[in-house]
Structure formats: C-alpha cells, structure tokens
Amino acid sequence: MKTLVTLVLLICVLRHCTAAPVGPSAPQDGCCNGFNTTKIPRKRVTHIAKTPSGCESQAIVITTCLKKFCIDPNLQFAIEQLALFEESPSKHGFNLKPCE
C-alpha cells in the first residue's frame, strides 16, 4: 500500500513539473504569446522567420540549436537579422551547421 501511495505521488509531481507553461520567448504552434528583446549573435542563429499570418501577435522567431526566441518585429536588430538571413545566411555569418 505504501508503494502504491508513493507511486501515485511521484506521478502527480512529475505531471505537475511537465505541465508548466512555456515562457513568452518560446513559440507554441508557430505563434508567440510575448516578446524577448535578447540580441542573439548571428553565429548562434540557425534560422529566422516571421510567425504565420494567422497568429494573434506577429513576431520574428529566431532559432538557435538550443531554443527559439520570439522577438518583437519592430526592433531594428531583429528586422536587420531577418533581412540578412533572407538575403544569404552563409554570406552573413549565420550558423548553418547541423545542431548536435
């Protein structure tokens, strides 16, 4: 009986930990709930794109090997990075190597 109670408590704790909400800097279903203002160095950026037009709030999503950042589309550095990435990612020093 003690084992069963312990197992149920462990499952509840694990369920609670994995059900934590995602922060505003991580896109869900391609859409963002908030913005991050972190400037990500080009050498870490693997991809840049705008959120889909059907999203409530538009953002520029900058992807690194570790995570995705939702950046305010009105910030100059985000606009510039998106333009450079769309022009030629390899020419402007973006990370095009596969993530490990």
Side-chain angles (χ1 to χ4, degrees), residues 28-71:
Q28 292 180 317
D29 302 326
C31 297
C32 299
N33 294 327
F35 299 123
N36 191 315
T37 58
T38 305
K39 291 185 179 181
I40 296 101
R42 279 188 222 153
K43 65 183 177 183
R44 293 184 178 222
V45 175
T46 58
H47 190 262
I48 302 177
K50 290 184 178 180
T51 52
S53 58
C55 294
E56 190 173 315
S57 61
Q58 295 299 300
I60 294 175
V61 179
I62 297 180
T63 305
T64 67
C65 283
L66 299 177
K67 70 190 268 189
K68 294 183 178 190
F69 298 87
C70 292
I71 307 293

Side-chain angles (χ1 to χ4, degrees), residues 1-23:
M1 184 67 177
K2 287 181 181 179
T3 305
L4 179 61
V5 171
T6 304
L7 182 60
V8 169
L9 286 173
L10 179 62
I11 291 171
C12 289
V13 168
L14 290 174
R15 172 85 174 135
H16 177 72
C17 291
T18 59
V22 177

Side-chain angles (χ1 to χ4, degrees), residues 35 58-60 71-79:
F35 299 123
Q58 295 299 300
I60 294 175
I71 307 293
D72 184 340
N74 298 314
L75 291 176
Q76 191 60 39
F77 83 89
I79 295 168

